Amino acid sequence: MRAENYRKEKKEVRGKTVNVTSYKIGERYFCHIDNVNPGVTIARTQGASREEAQQLALQKVYERFEIY
């Protein structure tokens, strides 16, 4: 299987810029969020739709950034 519907965009979360990468493998969508520099993974999730996967990942990012 290979990734389809690949999308990468930058978003701002709590004043920090992050990369939001999403793609589909089989019937599942995956979302990976990292900080722009140095590219450390902050969240990685999957869902039935791109929106669900991104929403779950962004929720984790908001929770993790709340700590800092």
Side-chain angles (χ1 to χ4, degrees):
M1 287 190 192
R2 42 188 285 212
E4 302 173 351
N5 298 332
Y6 182 88
R7 183 187 300 168
K8 187 170 185 175
E9 58 188 314
K10 291 186 191 289
K11 289 193 178 211
E12 189 167 315
V13 178
R14 296 191 188 262
K16 296 177 173 77
T17 304
V18 296
N19 289 318
V20 179
T21 305
S22 58
Y23 51 91
K24 182 179 181 183
I25 298 178
E27 296 299 316
R28 302 290 292 173
Y29 278 91
F30 296 84
C31 184
H32 174 260
I33 298 180
D34 63 80
N35 63 349
V36 174
N37 189 9
V40 176
T41 298
I42 302 167
R44 188 183 314 259
T45 59
Q46 59 179 299
S49 67
R50 180 188 310 273
E51 293 76 20
E52 179 185 9
Q54 285 183 348
Q55 181 182 24
L56 292 169
L58 286 168
Q59 182 179 356
K60 284 185 177 185
V61 172
Y62 275 102
E63 291 170 0
R64 290 179 179 157
F65 280 177
E66 191 173 300
I67 296 170
Y68 297 104

